[in-house]
């Protein structure tokens, strides 16, 4: 893959505040207080809102939304916000309880509104996630942000919500959303160009959990989630053996760990197949500032470069 495709940074990440000691991000004195549920949405909201929003995110970089447990500090922050942005589609199952406990009186904005969701292949099965925690998102796959076209819908929803809450800033939000949409359109074109030289039959990848179906649909890549294939929250030796056999028979080259999942299953599969994990993908969270994926655009660039190099055997 040509380095020039992913070597350029289009949009610099803006400073966000996470909730640990929980403080609001620096902004203008009259900035609109808003909350984003996790780091990927936080970046999108900041790209549109700029200095007119005072943003905090409930779940920070490299943190797993599946095991998040809201604390009183989170409820206090939500209670102070004018807008709360979430993904929806069952991703933040804790959100209704948090809004209720915070006595939230602002606007709850579900950013996946308007997209056509994929069905969740793991519905009905609780898969272990992180360090033994289970999750089942429900009927629909919530990871819609892995398709850039869907994120362009998210950005329009963000701009609409900010305009409704801050009419004086609407032109500002619309201009930023339009500029960022152009960045996303270019990103989508770059991803397609990166995959174009690789035969479709060769585009097969093993990942830890079912987080990349939207990317696979958009860019014609077949992702097999180790836990989805094995279908056990605690994989059995027989289940692992079946997957190892499939990897060998199909000559799959690309095996990845993820930034928010326990790497041990993927590492075990690597030992069984002799296939060394090709790197780390970012699925449900950005990296910390200064990392390899501190913004949404850089996350998709990093993932695409890692995937195409591994699949092509580079």
């Amino acid at each position: 893959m040509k380095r020039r495709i992913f070597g350029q940074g289009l949009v610099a990440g803006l400073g966000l505040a996470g909730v640990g000691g929980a403080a609001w991000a620096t902004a203008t004195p009259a900035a609109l207080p808003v909350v984003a549920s996790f780091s990927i949405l936080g970046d999108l909201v900041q790209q549109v809102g700029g200095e007119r929003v005072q943003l905090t995110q409930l779940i920070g970089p490299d943190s797993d939304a599946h095991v998040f447990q809201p604390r009183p500090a989170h409820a206090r922050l939500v209670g102070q916000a004018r807008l709360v942005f979430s993904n929806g589609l069952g991703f933040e199952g804790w959100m209704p309880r948090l809004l209720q406990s915070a006595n939230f009186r602002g606007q709850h904005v579900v950013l996946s509104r308007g997209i056509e969701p994929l069905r969740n292949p793991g519905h009905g099965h609780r898969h272990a996630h992180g360090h033994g925690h289970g999750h089942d998102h429900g009927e629909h796959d919530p990871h819609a942000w892995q398709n850039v076209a869907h994120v362009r819908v998210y950005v329009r929803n963000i701009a609409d919500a900010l305009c409704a809450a801050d009419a004086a800033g609407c032109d500002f939000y619309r201009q930023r959303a339009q500029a960022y949409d152009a960045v996303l359109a270019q990103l989508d074109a770059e991803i397609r160009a990166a995959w174009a030289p690789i035969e479709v039959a060769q585009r097969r990848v093993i990942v830890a959990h079912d987080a990349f179906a939207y990317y696979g649909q958009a860019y014609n890549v077949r992702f097999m989630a180790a836990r989805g294939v094995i279908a056990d929250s605690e994989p059995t030796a027989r289940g692992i053996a079946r997957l190892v056999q499939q990897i060998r028979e199909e000559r799959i080259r690309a095996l990845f760990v993820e930034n928010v999942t326990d790497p041990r299953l993927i590492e075990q599969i690597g030992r069984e197949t002799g296939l060394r994990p090709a790197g780390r993908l970012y699925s449900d969270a950005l990296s910390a500032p200064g990392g390899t994926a501190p913004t949404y655009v850089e996350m998709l660039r990093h993932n695409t470069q890692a995937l195409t190099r591994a699949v092509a055997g580079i």
Side-chain angles (χ1 to χ4, degrees), residues 47-48 152 155-156 159 170-186:
Q47 298 293 350
V48 178
R152 296 175 73 179
V155 168
R156 290 196 292 273
C170 191
D171 287 346
F172 174 84
Y173 301 132
R174 296 290 186 203
Q175 289 169 10
R176 287 183 66 94
Q178 185 176 4
Y180 190 54
D181 183 72
V183 170
L184 294 174
Q186 177 64 24

Side-chain angles (χ1 to χ4, degrees), residues 217-230:
Q217 181 193 52
Y219 307 112
N220 210 355
V221 183
R222 182 186 174 198
F223 286 92
M224 288 168 280
R227 292 201 180 276
V229 173
I230 295 170

Side-chain angles (χ1 to χ4, degrees), residues 1-35:
M1 183 180 63
K2 297 179 180 179
R3 288 183 179 271
R4 63 179 177 83
I5 292 177
F6 289 93
Q8 303 164 3
L10 287 176
V11 176
L14 300 175
L16 306 179
V19 178
W24 291 100
T26 302
T28 59
L32 192 70
V34 302
V35 165

Side-chain angles (χ1 to χ4, degrees), residues 62-77:
D62 287 319
S63 297
D64 187 358
H66 301 101
V67 298
F68 175 68
Q69 296 291 332
R71 303 190 304 274
H74 300 107
R76 286 193 294 272
L77 284 167

Side-chain angles (χ1 to χ4, degrees), residues 56-292:
T56 194
Q57 51 194 25
L58 299 176
I59 306 167
D62 287 319
S63 297
D64 187 358
H66 301 101
V67 298
F68 175 68
Q69 296 291 332
R71 303 190 304 274
H74 300 107
R76 286 193 294 272
L77 284 167
V78 167
Q80 297 169 27
R82 289 277 303 281
L83 297 169
V84 170
F85 294 93
S86 71
N87 182 76
L89 298 176
F91 189 71
E92 304 99 339
W94 39 264
M95 182 60 77
R97 297 190 304 274
L98 177 58
L99 295 176
Q100 183 177 14
S101 66
N103 196 27
F104 180 61
R105 292 292 180 262
Q107 181 67 33
H108 176 208
V109 185
V110 178
L111 293 182
S112 61
R113 180 177 55 84
I115 70 159
E116 184 67 33
L118 297 176
R119 292 187 64 83
N120 182 6
H123 180 41
H125 299 281
R126 288 184 61 80
H127 302 309
H129 205 279
H131 297 281
H133 301 276
H135 72 279
D136 176 8
H137 289 300
E139 181 182 358
H140 295 118
D141 183 341
H143 306 88
W145 60 84
Q146 294 290 348
N147 181 343
V148 178
H150 291 333
V151 168
R152 296 175 73 179
V153 175
Y154 282 33
V155 168
R156 290 196 292 273
N157 289 339
I158 292 168
D160 288 345
L162 291 175
C163 280
D166 175 21
C170 191
D171 287 346
F172 174 84
Y173 301 132
R174 296 290 186 203
Q175 289 169 10
R176 287 183 66 94
Q178 185 176 4
Y180 190 54
D181 183 72
V183 170
L184 294 174
Q186 177 64 24
L187 174 66
D188 185 65
E190 290 174 2
I191 295 172
R192 295 181 189 282
W195 283 106
I198 302 173
E199 292 183 6
V200 171
Q202 194 178 339
R203 302 178 188 180
R204 294 169 298 182
V205 183
I206 302 291
V207 292
H209 85 295
D210 289 309
F212 297 95
Y214 288 94
Y215 185 105
Q217 181 193 52
Y219 307 112
N220 210 355
V221 183
R222 182 186 174 198
F223 286 92
M224 288 168 280
R227 292 201 180 276
V229 173
I230 295 170
D232 297 318
S233 61
E234 292 299 331
T236 63
R238 179 179 297 178
I240 293 172
R242 285 200 304 269
L243 181 57
V244 167
Q245 181 179 1
Q246 182 179 7
I247 291 170
R248 288 172 174 162
E249 288 177 351
E250 298 188 20
R251 298 181 181 180
I252 298 171
R253 299 175 179 177
L255 177 70
F256 284 92
V257 297
E258 296 169 37
N259 68 320
V260 297
T261 58
D262 191 324
R264 289 177 293 181
L265 176 58
I266 293 296
E267 290 169 350
Q268 180 179 355
I269 292 168
R271 289 192 297 271
E272 294 283 343
T273 59
L275 188 64
R276 184 176 179 179
R280 184 182 305 274
L281 298 179
Y282 291 84
S283 53
D284 297 353
L286 301 177
S287 73
T292 55

